[in-house]
Amino acid sequence: MLSASILAVLLIAYTVPTGLAIHRELTDRTALAVTNLVFGWTVLGWFACLFWAALGRTEPRAPLGASQ
């Protein structure tokens, strides 16, 4: 039972960069997700994806109060 909990926590931690990219609406979030899937198991690859997700270019948003 404990090993399933640890596995769940590791899986969530592994996908943090992808979740952040989706939340921030990065323009290249699909590329980040694939990169995270392929290279996220390495510590350097995971941190690179995390920085990319945190600092990457986001999609433009409509100004507040603008009608759509």
Side-chain angles (χ1 to χ4, degrees), residues 15-55:
T15 59
V16 164
T18 301
L20 182 60
I22 292 168
H23 176 72
R24 291 192 63 231
E25 298 179 6
L26 260 62
T27 56
D28 47 1
R29 60 186 167 259
T30 304
L32 186 139
V34 170
T35 304
N36 188 32
L37 182 66
V38 174
F39 297 109
W41 62 273
T42 67
V43 175
L44 184 61
W46 187 86
F47 276 108
C49 288
L50 184 65
F51 286 124
W52 182 6
L55 303 174

PDB file of all heavy atoms in Angstrom, residues 15-55:
ATOM      1  N   THR A  15       4.809  14.970 -13.547  1.00  0.00           N
ATOM      2  CA  THR A  15       3.996  15.720 -14.505  1.00  0.00           C
ATOM      3  C   THR A  15       3.778  17.180 -14.110  1.00  0.00           C
ATOM      4  O   THR A  15       2.998  17.870 -14.763  1.00  0.00           O
ATOM      5  CB  THR A  15       2.629  15.036 -14.692  1.00  0.00           C
ATOM      6  OG1 THR A  15       1.969  14.971 -13.420  1.00  0.00           O
ATOM      7  CG2 THR A  15       2.783  13.650 -15.274  1.00  0.00           C
ATOM      8  N   VAL A  16       4.451  17.655 -13.081  1.00  0.00           N
ATOM      9  CA  VAL A  16       4.307  19.058 -12.661  1.00  0.00           C
ATOM     10  C   VAL A  16       4.641  20.029 -13.792  1.00  0.00           C
ATOM     11  O   VAL A  16       3.875  20.977 -14.036  1.00  0.00           O
ATOM     12  CB  VAL A  16       5.137  19.342 -11.394  1.00  0.00           C
ATOM     13  CG1 VAL A  16       5.325  20.831 -11.159  1.00  0.00           C
ATOM     14  CG2 VAL A  16       4.471  18.709 -10.195  1.00  0.00           C
ATOM     15  N   PRO A  17       5.749  19.876 -14.538  1.00  0.00           N
ATOM     16  CA  PRO A  17       6.025  20.826 -15.624  1.00  0.00           C
ATOM     17  C   PRO A  17       4.916  20.855 -16.687  1.00  0.00           C
ATOM     18  O   PRO A  17       4.535  21.931 -17.158  1.00  0.00           O
ATOM     19  CB  PRO A  17       7.342  20.326 -16.220  1.00  0.00           C
ATOM     20  CG  PRO A  17       8.004  19.594 -15.107  1.00  0.00           C
ATOM     21  CD  PRO A  17       6.882  18.949 -14.354  1.00  0.00           C
ATOM     22  N   THR A  18       4.368  19.706 -17.026  1.00  0.00           N
ATOM     23  CA  THR A  18       3.291  19.666 -18.014  1.00  0.00           C
ATOM     24  C   THR A  18       2.037  20.344 -17.481  1.00  0.00           C
ATOM     25  O   THR A  18       1.383  21.117 -18.196  1.00  0.00           O
ATOM     26  CB  THR A  18       2.989  18.207 -18.408  1.00  0.00           C
ATOM     27  OG1 THR A  18       4.172  17.623 -18.949  1.00  0.00           O
ATOM     28  CG2 THR A  18       1.883  18.135 -19.437  1.00  0.00           C
ATOM     29  N   GLY A  19       1.698  20.082 -16.241  1.00  0.00           N
ATOM     30  CA  GLY A  19       0.543  20.734 -15.634  1.00  0.00           C
ATOM     31  C   GLY A  19       0.702  22.239 -15.564  1.00  0.00           C
ATOM     32  O   GLY A  19      -0.245  22.986 -15.818  1.00  0.00           O
ATOM     33  N   LEU A  20       1.899  22.701 -15.239  1.00  0.00           N
ATOM     34  CA  LEU A  20       2.166  24.134 -15.197  1.00  0.00           C
ATOM     35  C   LEU A  20       2.050  24.750 -16.585  1.00  0.00           C
ATOM     36  O   LEU A  20       1.497  25.848 -16.739  1.00  0.00           O
ATOM     37  CB  LEU A  20       3.552  24.391 -14.608  1.00  0.00           C
ATOM     38  CG  LEU A  20       3.984  25.836 -14.442  1.00  0.00           C
ATOM     39  CD1 LEU A  20       3.029  26.576 -13.512  1.00  0.00           C
ATOM     40  CD2 LEU A  20       5.405  25.903 -13.917  1.00  0.00           C
ATOM     41  N   ALA A  21       2.541  24.061 -17.595  1.00  0.00           N
ATOM     42  CA  ALA A  21       2.442  24.564 -18.963  1.00  0.00           C
ATOM     43  C   ALA A  21       0.988  24.665 -19.421  1.00  0.00           C
ATOM     44  O   ALA A  21       0.608  25.639 -20.083  1.00  0.00           O
ATOM     45  CB  ALA A  21       3.220  23.661 -19.918  1.00  0.00           C
ATOM     46  N   ILE A  22       0.179  23.704 -19.058  1.00  0.00           N
ATOM     47  CA  ILE A  22      -1.234  23.741 -19.416  1.00  0.00           C
ATOM     48  C   ILE A  22      -1.935  24.859 -18.663  1.00  0.00           C
ATOM     49  O   ILE A  22      -2.725  25.610 -19.240  1.00  0.00           O
ATOM     50  CB  ILE A  22      -1.892  22.372 -19.136  1.00  0.00           C
ATOM     51  CG1 ILE A  22      -1.340  21.326 -20.109  1.00  0.00           C
ATOM     52  CG2 ILE A  22      -3.413  22.461 -19.231  1.00  0.00           C
ATOM     53  CD1 ILE A  22      -1.705  19.900 -19.748  1.00  0.00           C
ATOM     54  N   HIS A  23      -1.623  25.000 -17.385  1.00  0.00           N
ATOM     55  CA  HIS A  23      -2.246  26.051 -16.570  1.00  0.00           C
ATOM     56  C   HIS A  23      -1.884  27.448 -17.073  1.00  0.00           C
ATOM     57  O   HIS A  23      -2.740  28.329 -17.124  1.00  0.00           O
ATOM     58  CB  HIS A  23      -1.823  25.894 -15.114  1.00  0.00           C
ATOM     59  CG  HIS A  23      -2.341  26.971 -14.223  1.00  0.00           C
ATOM     60  ND1 HIS A  23      -3.671  27.044 -13.872  1.00  0.00           N
ATOM     61  CD2 HIS A  23      -1.727  28.020 -13.639  1.00  0.00           C
ATOM     62  CE1 HIS A  23      -3.848  28.101 -13.098  1.00  0.00           C
ATOM     63  NE2 HIS A  23      -2.674  28.701 -12.942  1.00  0.00           N
ATOM     64  N   ARG A  24      -0.636  27.634 -17.464  1.00  0.00           N
ATOM     65  CA  ARG A  24      -0.192  28.945 -17.954  1.00  0.00           C
ATOM     66  C   ARG A  24      -0.550  29.175 -19.423  1.00  0.00           C
ATOM     67  O   ARG A  24      -0.346  30.250 -19.938  1.00  0.00           O
ATOM     68  CB  ARG A  24       1.324  29.088 -17.801  1.00  0.00           C
ATOM     69  CG  ARG A  24       1.757  29.184 -16.353  1.00  0.00           C
ATOM     70  CD  ARG A  24       3.205  29.624 -16.227  1.00  0.00           C
ATOM     71  NE  ARG A  24       3.373  30.951 -16.779  1.00  0.00           N
ATOM     72  CZ  ARG A  24       4.307  31.271 -17.675  1.00  0.00           C
ATOM     73  NH1 ARG A  24       5.151  30.370 -18.121  1.00  0.00           N
ATOM     74  NH2 ARG A  24       4.393  32.505 -18.126  1.00  0.00           N
ATOM     75  N   GLU A  25      -1.091  28.162 -20.100  1.00  0.00           N
ATOM     76  CA  GLU A  25      -1.473  28.216 -21.509  1.00  0.00           C
ATOM     77  C   GLU A  25      -0.286  28.590 -22.399  1.00  0.00           C
ATOM     78  O   GLU A  25      -0.343  29.515 -23.200  1.00  0.00           O
ATOM     79  CB  GLU A  25      -2.635  29.182 -21.719  1.00  0.00           C
ATOM     80  CG  GLU A  25      -3.896  28.775 -20.987  1.00  0.00           C
ATOM     81  CD  GLU A  25      -5.049  29.746 -21.186  1.00  0.00           C
ATOM     82  OE1 GLU A  25      -4.918  30.696 -21.982  1.00  0.00           O
ATOM     83  OE2 GLU A  25      -6.083  29.544 -20.535  1.00  0.00           O
ATOM     84  N   LEU A  26       0.810  27.822 -22.260  1.00  0.00           N
ATOM     85  CA  LEU A  26       1.976  28.036 -23.105  1.00  0.00           C
ATOM     86  C   LEU A  26       1.630  27.745 -24.555  1.00  0.00           C
ATOM     87  O   LEU A  26       0.828  26.856 -24.847  1.00  0.00           O
ATOM     88  CB  LEU A  26       3.118  27.117 -22.677  1.00  0.00           C
ATOM     89  CG  LEU A  26       4.214  27.732 -21.811  1.00  0.00           C
ATOM     90  CD1 LEU A  26       3.663  28.228 -20.511  1.00  0.00           C
ATOM     91  CD2 LEU A  26       5.326  26.759 -21.593  1.00  0.00           C
ATOM     92  N   THR A  27       2.255  28.482 -25.459  1.00  0.00           N
ATOM     93  CA  THR A  27       1.990  28.280 -26.881  1.00  0.00           C
ATOM     94  C   THR A  27       2.513  26.919 -27.352  1.00  0.00           C
ATOM     95  O   THR A  27       1.942  26.330 -28.259  1.00  0.00           O
ATOM     96  CB  THR A  27       2.634  29.394 -27.721  1.00  0.00           C
ATOM     97  OG1 THR A  27       4.032  29.452 -27.427  1.00  0.00           O
ATOM     98  CG2 THR A  27       2.004  30.739 -27.429  1.00  0.00           C
ATOM     99  N   ASP A  28       3.572  26.433 -26.754  1.00  0.00           N
ATOM    100  CA  ASP A  28       4.160  25.156 -27.171  1.00  0.00           C
ATOM    101  C   ASP A  28       4.049  24.100 -26.063  1.00  0.00           C
ATOM    102  O   ASP A  28       4.967  23.334 -25.819  1.00  0.00           O
ATOM    103  CB  ASP A  28       5.607  25.351 -27.597  1.00  0.00           C
ATOM    104  CG  ASP A  28       6.407  26.176 -26.605  1.00  0.00           C
ATOM    105  OD1 ASP A  28       5.835  26.590 -25.576  1.00  0.00           O
ATOM    106  OD2 ASP A  28       7.592  26.400 -26.865  1.00  0.00           O
ATOM    107  N   ARG A  29       2.889  24.039 -25.438  1.00  0.00           N
ATOM    108  CA  ARG A  29       2.695  23.102 -24.327  1.00  0.00           C
ATOM    109  C   ARG A  29       2.725  21.647 -24.774  1.00  0.00           C
ATOM    110  O   ARG A  29       3.118  20.779 -24.004  1.00  0.00           O
ATOM    111  CB  ARG A  29       1.432  23.424 -23.552  1.00  0.00           C
ATOM    112  CG  ARG A  29       0.159  23.384 -24.337  1.00  0.00           C
ATOM    113  CD  ARG A  29      -1.022  23.866 -23.494  1.00  0.00           C
ATOM    114  NE  ARG A  29      -2.179  24.118 -24.318  1.00  0.00           N
ATOM    115  CZ  ARG A  29      -2.574  25.314 -24.704  1.00  0.00           C
ATOM    116  NH1 ARG A  29      -1.916  26.368 -24.321  1.00  0.00           N
ATOM    117  NH2 ARG A  29      -3.633  25.463 -25.458  1.00  0.00           N
ATOM    118  N   THR A  30       2.365  21.358 -26.010  1.00  0.00           N
ATOM    119  CA  THR A  30       2.431  19.978 -26.497  1.00  0.00           C
ATOM    120  C   THR A  30       3.879  19.521 -26.617  1.00  0.00           C
ATOM    121  O   THR A  30       4.217  18.405 -26.215  1.00  0.00           O
ATOM    122  CB  THR A  30       1.713  19.845 -27.855  1.00  0.00           C
ATOM    123  OG1 THR A  30       0.375  20.309 -27.711  1.00  0.00           O
ATOM    124  CG2 THR A  30       1.712  18.417 -28.338  1.00  0.00           C
ATOM    125  N   ALA A  31       4.729  20.384 -27.136  1.00  0.00           N
ATOM    126  CA  ALA A  31       6.150  20.050 -27.239  1.00  0.00           C
ATOM    127  C   ALA A  31       6.763  19.863 -25.853  1.00  0.00           C
ATOM    128  O   ALA A  31       7.582  18.965 -25.642  1.00  0.00           O
ATOM    129  CB  ALA A  31       6.890  21.144 -28.002  1.00  0.00           C
ATOM    130  N   LEU A  32       6.357  20.692 -24.915  1.00  0.00           N
ATOM    131  CA  LEU A  32       6.856  20.558 -23.551  1.00  0.00           C
ATOM    132  C   LEU A  32       6.395  19.240 -22.947  1.00  0.00           C
ATOM    133  O   LEU A  32       7.167  18.548 -22.285  1.00  0.00           O
ATOM    134  CB  LEU A  32       6.396  21.722 -22.685  1.00  0.00           C
ATOM    135  CG  LEU A  32       6.985  21.727 -21.275  1.00  0.00           C
ATOM    136  CD1 LEU A  32       7.355  23.126 -20.871  1.00  0.00           C
ATOM    137  CD2 LEU A  32       6.055  21.106 -20.280  1.00  0.00           C
ATOM    138  N   ALA A  33       5.142  18.873 -23.173  1.00  0.00           N
ATOM    139  CA  ALA A  33       4.618  17.618 -22.620  1.00  0.00           C
ATOM    140  C   ALA A  33       5.378  16.413 -23.167  1.00  0.00           C
ATOM    141  O   ALA A  33       5.708  15.483 -22.426  1.00  0.00           O
ATOM    142  CB  ALA A  33       3.128  17.493 -22.917  1.00  0.00           C
ATOM    143  N   VAL A  34       5.672  16.429 -24.460  1.00  0.00           N
ATOM    144  CA  VAL A  34       6.421  15.317 -25.073  1.00  0.00           C
ATOM    145  C   VAL A  34       7.846  15.290 -24.524  1.00  0.00           C
ATOM    146  O   VAL A  34       8.381  14.224 -24.187  1.00  0.00           O
ATOM    147  CB  VAL A  34       6.414  15.442 -26.609  1.00  0.00           C
ATOM    148  CG1 VAL A  34       7.373  14.446 -27.247  1.00  0.00           C
ATOM    149  CG2 VAL A  34       5.003  15.248 -27.144  1.00  0.00           C
ATOM    150  N   THR A  35       8.466  16.468 -24.408  1.00  0.00           N
ATOM    151  CA  THR A  35       9.817  16.540 -23.868  1.00  0.00           C
ATOM    152  C   THR A  35       9.842  16.059 -22.420  1.00  0.00           C
ATOM    153  O   THR A  35      10.751  15.331 -22.010  1.00  0.00           O
ATOM    154  CB  THR A  35      10.358  17.979 -23.957  1.00  0.00           C
ATOM    155  OG1 THR A  35      10.300  18.414 -25.317  1.00  0.00           O
ATOM    156  CG2 THR A  35      11.783  18.066 -23.461  1.00  0.00           C
ATOM    157  N   ASN A  36       8.840  16.442 -21.654  1.00  0.00           N
ATOM    158  CA  ASN A  36       8.755  15.990 -20.268  1.00  0.00           C
ATOM    159  C   ASN A  36       8.582  14.475 -20.200  1.00  0.00           C
ATOM    160  O   ASN A  36       9.183  13.807 -19.358  1.00  0.00           O
ATOM    161  CB  ASN A  36       7.604  16.695 -19.552  1.00  0.00           C
ATOM    162  CG  ASN A  36       7.567  16.418 -18.078  1.00  0.00           C
ATOM    163  OD1 ASN A  36       8.589  16.231 -17.437  1.00  0.00           O
ATOM    164  ND2 ASN A  36       6.380  16.397 -17.529  1.00  0.00           N
ATOM    165  N   LEU A  37       7.781  13.921 -21.084  1.00  0.00           N
ATOM    166  CA  LEU A  37       7.562  12.480 -21.112  1.00  0.00           C
ATOM    167  C   LEU A  37       8.852  11.729 -21.450  1.00  0.00           C
ATOM    168  O   LEU A  37       9.167  10.711 -20.839  1.00  0.00           O
ATOM    169  CB  LEU A  37       6.472  12.136 -22.133  1.00  0.00           C
ATOM    170  CG  LEU A  37       6.099  10.673 -22.259  1.00  0.00           C
ATOM    171  CD1 LEU A  37       5.447  10.192 -20.976  1.00  0.00           C
ATOM    172  CD2 LEU A  37       5.176  10.463 -23.433  1.00  0.00           C
ATOM    173  N   VAL A  38       9.613  12.262 -22.407  1.00  0.00           N
ATOM    174  CA  VAL A  38      10.817  11.569 -22.876  1.00  0.00           C
ATOM    175  C   VAL A  38      12.020  11.807 -21.956  1.00  0.00           C
ATOM    176  O   VAL A  38      12.754  10.876 -21.626  1.00  0.00           O
ATOM    177  CB  VAL A  38      11.160  12.000 -24.322  1.00  0.00           C
ATOM    178  CG1 VAL A  38      12.473  11.405 -24.779  1.00  0.00           C
ATOM    179  CG2 VAL A  38      10.033  11.604 -25.261  1.00  0.00           C
ATOM    180  N   PHE A  39      12.233  13.060 -21.542  1.00  0.00           N
ATOM    181  CA  PHE A  39      13.441  13.396 -20.786  1.00  0.00           C
ATOM    182  C   PHE A  39      13.196  13.728 -19.317  1.00  0.00           C
ATOM    183  O   PHE A  39      14.135  14.017 -18.582  1.00  0.00           O
ATOM    184  CB  PHE A  39      14.152  14.591 -21.434  1.00  0.00           C
ATOM    185  CG  PHE A  39      14.636  14.317 -22.812  1.00  0.00           C
ATOM    186  CD1 PHE A  39      14.030  14.900 -23.904  1.00  0.00           C
ATOM    187  CD2 PHE A  39      15.700  13.455 -23.028  1.00  0.00           C
ATOM    188  CE1 PHE A  39      14.467  14.648 -25.187  1.00  0.00           C
ATOM    189  CE2 PHE A  39      16.145  13.183 -24.303  1.00  0.00           C
ATOM    190  CZ  PHE A  39      15.532  13.780 -25.393  1.00  0.00           C
ATOM    191  N   GLY A  40      11.947  13.700 -18.874  1.00  0.00           N
ATOM    192  CA  GLY A  40      11.639  14.065 -17.505  1.00  0.00           C
ATOM    193  C   GLY A  40      12.214  13.132 -16.468  1.00  0.00           C
ATOM    194  O   GLY A  40      12.397  13.525 -15.315  1.00  0.00           O
ATOM    195  N   TRP A  41      12.519  11.914 -16.845  1.00  0.00           N
ATOM    196  CA  TRP A  41      13.072  10.950 -15.892  1.00  0.00           C
ATOM    197  C   TRP A  41      14.482  11.329 -15.465  1.00  0.00           C
ATOM    198  O   TRP A  41      14.946  10.901 -14.415  1.00  0.00           O
ATOM    199  CB  TRP A  41      13.054   9.532 -16.459  1.00  0.00           C
ATOM    200  CG  TRP A  41      13.884   9.350 -17.682  1.00  0.00           C
ATOM    201  CD1 TRP A  41      13.500   9.561 -18.963  1.00  0.00           C
ATOM    202  CD2 TRP A  41      15.252   8.943 -17.726  1.00  0.00           C
ATOM    203  NE1 TRP A  41      14.547   9.308 -19.809  1.00  0.00           N
ATOM    204  CE2 TRP A  41      15.634   8.936 -19.074  1.00  0.00           C
ATOM    205  CE3 TRP A  41      16.184   8.589 -16.759  1.00  0.00           C
ATOM    206  CZ2 TRP A  41      16.914   8.585 -19.482  1.00  0.00           C
ATOM    207  CZ3 TRP A  41      17.459   8.241 -17.165  1.00  0.00           C
ATOM    208  CH2 TRP A  41      17.813   8.234 -18.507  1.00  0.00           C
ATOM    209  N   THR A  42      15.174  12.142 -16.271  1.00  0.00           N
ATOM    210  CA  THR A  42      16.483  12.634 -15.862  1.00  0.00           C
ATOM    211  C   THR A  42      16.260  13.895 -15.031  1.00  0.00           C
ATOM    212  O   THR A  42      15.339  14.663 -15.282  1.00  0.00           O
ATOM    213  CB  THR A  42      17.371  12.966 -17.066  1.00  0.00           C
ATOM    214  OG1 THR A  42      16.821  14.075 -17.773  1.00  0.00           O
ATOM    215  CG2 THR A  42      17.506  11.781 -18.007  1.00  0.00           C
ATOM    216  N   VAL A  43      17.056  14.103 -14.067  1.00  0.00           N
ATOM    217  CA  VAL A  43      16.894  15.278 -13.209  1.00  0.00           C
ATOM    218  C   VAL A  43      17.070  16.550 -14.033  1.00  0.00           C
ATOM    219  O   VAL A  43      16.285  17.502 -13.918  1.00  0.00           O
ATOM    220  CB  VAL A  43      17.895  15.230 -12.033  1.00  0.00           C
ATOM    221  CG1 VAL A  43      17.821  16.502 -11.210  1.00  0.00           C
ATOM    222  CG2 VAL A  43      17.637  14.008 -11.173  1.00  0.00           C
ATOM    223  N   LEU A  44      18.064  16.585 -14.895  1.00  0.00           N
ATOM    224  CA  LEU A  44      18.309  17.763 -15.720  1.00  0.00           C
ATOM    225  C   LEU A  44      17.146  18.019 -16.676  1.00  0.00           C
ATOM    226  O   LEU A  44      16.699  19.161 -16.848  1.00  0.00           O
ATOM    227  CB  LEU A  44      19.609  17.590 -16.506  1.00  0.00           C
ATOM    228  CG  LEU A  44      20.045  18.782 -17.354  1.00  0.00           C
ATOM    229  CD1 LEU A  44      20.275  20.010 -16.485  1.00  0.00           C
ATOM    230  CD2 LEU A  44      21.300  18.435 -18.125  1.00  0.00           C
ATOM    231  N   GLY A  45      16.621  16.977 -17.280  1.00  0.00           N
ATOM    232  CA  GLY A  45      15.489  17.123 -18.200  1.00  0.00           C
ATOM    233  C   GLY A  45      14.242  17.617 -17.492  1.00  0.00           C
ATOM    234  O   GLY A  45      13.497  18.456 -18.011  1.00  0.00           O
ATOM    235  N   TRP A  46      14.003  17.137 -16.277  1.00  0.00           N
ATOM    236  CA  TRP A  46      12.836  17.571 -15.510  1.00  0.00           C
ATOM    237  C   TRP A  46      12.950  19.042 -15.144  1.00  0.00           C
ATOM    238  O   TRP A  46      11.999  19.802 -15.293  1.00  0.00           O
ATOM    239  CB  TRP A  46      12.683  16.720 -14.251  1.00  0.00           C
ATOM    240  CG  TRP A  46      11.414  17.000 -13.518  1.00  0.00           C
ATOM    241  CD1 TRP A  46      10.204  16.437 -13.744  1.00  0.00           C
ATOM    242  CD2 TRP A  46      11.229  17.923 -12.444  1.00  0.00           C
ATOM    243  NE1 TRP A  46       9.266  16.949 -12.870  1.00  0.00           N
ATOM    244  CE2 TRP A  46       9.875  17.868 -12.060  1.00  0.00           C
ATOM    245  CE3 TRP A  46      12.074  18.792 -11.765  1.00  0.00           C
ATOM    246  CZ2 TRP A  46       9.361  18.641 -11.028  1.00  0.00           C
ATOM    247  CZ3 TRP A  46      11.556  19.570 -10.739  1.00  0.00           C
ATOM    248  CH2 TRP A  46      10.208  19.485 -10.386  1.00  0.00           C
ATOM    249  N   PHE A  47      14.130  19.463 -14.671  1.00  0.00           N
ATOM    250  CA  PHE A  47      14.315  20.872 -14.325  1.00  0.00           C
ATOM    251  C   PHE A  47      14.254  21.762 -15.562  1.00  0.00           C
ATOM    252  O   PHE A  47      13.724  22.876 -15.506  1.00  0.00           O
ATOM    253  CB  PHE A  47      15.625  21.099 -13.569  1.00  0.00           C
ATOM    254  CG  PHE A  47      15.498  20.848 -12.096  1.00  0.00           C
ATOM    255  CD1 PHE A  47      16.087  19.729 -11.526  1.00  0.00           C
ATOM    256  CD2 PHE A  47      14.785  21.704 -11.287  1.00  0.00           C
ATOM    257  CE1 PHE A  47      15.963  19.488 -10.176  1.00  0.00           C
ATOM    258  CE2 PHE A  47      14.651  21.473  -9.932  1.00  0.00           C
ATOM    259  CZ  PHE A  47      15.250  20.359  -9.373  1.00  0.00           C
ATOM    260  N   ALA A  48      14.768  21.294 -16.695  1.00  0.00           N
ATOM    261  CA  ALA A  48      14.675  22.068 -17.933  1.00  0.00           C
ATOM    262  C   ALA A  48      13.212  22.263 -18.325  1.00  0.00           C
ATOM    263  O   ALA A  48      12.805  23.370 -18.708  1.00  0.00           O
ATOM    264  CB  ALA A  48      15.442  21.361 -19.053  1.00  0.00           C
ATOM    265  N   CYS A  49      12.412  21.221 -18.215  1.00  0.00           N
ATOM    266  CA  CYS A  49      10.983  21.337 -18.519  1.00  0.00           C
ATOM    267  C   CYS A  49      10.277  22.261 -17.525  1.00  0.00           C
ATOM    268  O   CYS A  49       9.388  23.029 -17.902  1.00  0.00           O
ATOM    269  CB  CYS A  49      10.326  19.956 -18.514  1.00  0.00           C
ATOM    270  SG  CYS A  49      10.768  18.930 -19.919  1.00  0.00           S
ATOM    271  N   LEU A  50      10.664  22.196 -16.275  1.00  0.00           N
ATOM    272  CA  LEU A  50      10.066  23.060 -15.263  1.00  0.00           C
ATOM    273  C   LEU A  50      10.365  24.532 -15.562  1.00  0.00           C
ATOM    274  O   LEU A  50       9.472  25.379 -15.500  1.00  0.00           O
ATOM    275  CB  LEU A  50      10.576  22.679 -13.874  1.00  0.00           C
ATOM    276  CG  LEU A  50       9.956  23.452 -12.715  1.00  0.00           C
ATOM    277  CD1 LEU A  50       8.461  23.143 -12.610  1.00  0.00           C
ATOM    278  CD2 LEU A  50      10.668  23.101 -11.417  1.00  0.00           C
ATOM    279  N   PHE A  51      11.612  24.852 -15.901  1.00  0.00           N
ATOM    280  CA  PHE A  51      11.957  26.227 -16.248  1.00  0.00           C
ATOM    281  C   PHE A  51      11.253  26.668 -17.521  1.00  0.00           C
ATOM    282  O   PHE A  51      10.798  27.807 -17.636  1.00  0.00           O
ATOM    283  CB  PHE A  51      13.471  26.399 -16.383  1.00  0.00           C
ATOM    284  CG  PHE A  51      14.181  26.413 -15.069  1.00  0.00           C
ATOM    285  CD1 PHE A  51      15.206  25.517 -14.822  1.00  0.00           C
ATOM    286  CD2 PHE A  51      13.826  27.289 -14.061  1.00  0.00           C
ATOM    287  CE1 PHE A  51      15.863  25.509 -13.607  1.00  0.00           C
ATOM    288  CE2 PHE A  51      14.479  27.298 -12.843  1.00  0.00           C
ATOM    289  CZ  PHE A  51      15.505  26.402 -12.613  1.00  0.00           C
ATOM    290  N   TRP A  52      11.158  25.783 -18.493  1.00  0.00           N
ATOM    291  CA  TRP A  52      10.452  26.084 -19.734  1.00  0.00           C
ATOM    292  C   TRP A  52       8.995  26.395 -19.441  1.00  0.00           C
ATOM    293  O   TRP A  52       8.431  27.360 -19.956  1.00  0.00           O
ATOM    294  CB  TRP A  52      10.594  24.895 -20.663  1.00  0.00           C
ATOM    295  CG  TRP A  52       9.988  25.003 -22.025  1.00  0.00           C
ATOM    296  CD1 TRP A  52       9.395  26.094 -22.602  1.00  0.00           C
ATOM    297  CD2 TRP A  52       9.932  23.974 -23.005  1.00  0.00           C
ATOM    298  NE1 TRP A  52       8.968  25.784 -23.864  1.00  0.00           N
ATOM    299  CE2 TRP A  52       9.286  24.506 -24.142  1.00  0.00           C
ATOM    300  CE3 TRP A  52      10.358  22.649 -23.027  1.00  0.00           C
ATOM    301  CZ2 TRP A  52       9.061  23.740 -25.284  1.00  0.00           C
ATOM    302  CZ3 TRP A  52      10.135  21.912 -24.174  1.00  0.00           C
ATOM    303  CH2 TRP A  52       9.502  22.450 -25.289  1.00  0.00           C
ATOM    304  N   ALA A  53       8.374  25.603 -18.591  1.00  0.00           N
ATOM    305  CA  ALA A  53       6.969  25.819 -18.238  1.00  0.00           C
ATOM    306  C   ALA A  53       6.785  27.126 -17.473  1.00  0.00           C
ATOM    307  O   ALA A  53       5.788  27.828 -17.652  1.00  0.00           O
ATOM    308  CB  ALA A  53       6.452  24.649 -17.414  1.00  0.00           C
ATOM    309  N   ALA A  54       7.730  27.461 -16.616  1.00  0.00           N
ATOM    310  CA  ALA A  54       7.608  28.666 -15.793  1.00  0.00           C
ATOM    311  C   ALA A  54       7.904  29.936 -16.578  1.00  0.00           C
ATOM    312  O   ALA A  54       7.309  30.989 -16.314  1.00  0.00           O
ATOM    313  CB  ALA A  54       8.551  28.571 -14.600  1.00  0.00           C
ATOM    314  N   LEU A  55       8.802  29.855 -17.554  1.00  0.00           N
ATOM    315  CA  LEU A  55       9.250  31.063 -18.245  1.00  0.00           C
ATOM    316  C   LEU A  55       8.849  31.128 -19.713  1.00  0.00           C
ATOM    317  O   LEU A  55       9.160  32.104 -20.385  1.00  0.00           O
ATOM    318  CB  LEU A  55      10.780  31.170 -18.138  1.00  0.00           C
ATOM    319  CG  LEU A  55      11.346  31.173 -16.717  1.00  0.00           C
ATOM    320  CD1 LEU A  55      12.863  31.145 -16.760  1.00  0.00           C
ATOM    321  CD2 LEU A  55      10.837  32.364 -15.941  1.00  0.00           C
TER     322      LEU A  55
END
